[in-house]
Amino acid sequence: MGAKDWRVVRELAEVVDLDWVMLACSLTVFHHPPEVVDLVASLHERGIGIINSAVFHAGFLTGGKFFDYRELRQEDPADRPFFAWREKFHALLPAARRPTCRCPVCALPCPLLGRRRGTQHQSSRASATEPDLANAEIPAAFWTAMRDARLISPSYPYLG
């Protein structure tokens, strides 16, 4: 099953024996509420596969203009904190850059896929020359810098 509202996933997972769920609720390095992180951990512990379909926050984390289905504008005072966060995030990336650590990879640290009932989900590969993004190593120093810059919650559990 898939849903934009994580509460729907939680409610159905309590009454239906699921093989996998698709979360389209923007569980990202920018937005990772403890309730959603707890749900992901619970699903993972139960062997329910998890597909996080919004790891780039509608493309905003990689430089796009849209965030949660609306276009952000730098001239709008309400949108400025989003751009400021992204600027700090991108400024930290050079310290973490390796062939397998780029902005898209740094957006992925949570259980994306799981196994259940003998079915194994494989991570996708962009090409033979592109690294396996789901299994790329992200340096621990990057996550320390993210925490130090207050760009990510100190309690976020899926860090190096």
Side-chain angles (χ1 to χ4, degrees), residues 79-148:
D79 292 345
R80 287 186 189 136
F82 295 92
F83 289 99
W85 187 98
R86 183 173 70 185
E87 189 174 309
K88 289 178 185 177
F89 174 63
H90 281 243
L92 291 177
L93 291 174
R97 291 216 190 255
R98 291 184 183 171
T100 60
C101 187
R102 297 179 312 287
C103 179
V105 175
C106 294
L108 296 175
C110 66
L112 298 174
L113 302 171
R115 298 178 186 172
R116 183 167 167 106
R117 294 192 190 103
T119 302
Q120 181 174 352
H121 303 278
Q122 302 271 341
S123 62
S124 63
R125 296 179 191 269
S127 72
T129 60
E130 192 69 22
D132 180 357
L133 297 180
N135 293 309
E137 182 181 330
I138 301 168
F142 174 77
W143 300 119
T144 299
M146 287 284 286
R147 285 183 176 139
D148 290 349

Side-chain angles (χ1 to χ4, degrees), residues 33-113:
E35 302 85 5
V36 182
V37 172
D38 290 347
L39 172 64
V40 167
S42 171
L43 295 170
H44 184 72
E45 287 172 10
R46 292 171 50 199
I48 299 172
I50 303 160
I51 301 169
N52 185 354
S53 70
V55 295
F56 305 123
H57 232 100
F60 184 77
L61 296 182
T62 59
K65 297 186 284 186
F66 287 88
F67 185 95
D68 283 349
Y69 306 103
R70 77 173 184 89
E71 185 175 349
L72 298 182
R73 298 184 341 264
Q74 288 204 3
E75 61 275 5
D76 184 340
D79 292 345
R80 287 186 189 136
F82 295 92
F83 289 99
W85 187 98
R86 183 173 70 185
E87 189 174 309
K88 289 178 185 177
F89 174 63
H90 281 243
L92 291 177
L93 291 174
R97 291 216 190 255
R98 291 184 183 171
T100 60
C101 187
R102 297 179 312 287
C103 179
V105 175
C106 294
L108 296 175
C110 66
L112 298 174
L113 302 171

Side-chain angles (χ1 to χ4, degrees), residues 21-32:
V21 299
M22 188 256 326
L23 297 173
C25 61
S26 294
L27 174 60
T28 69
V29 294
F30 178 88
H31 180 74
H32 43 277

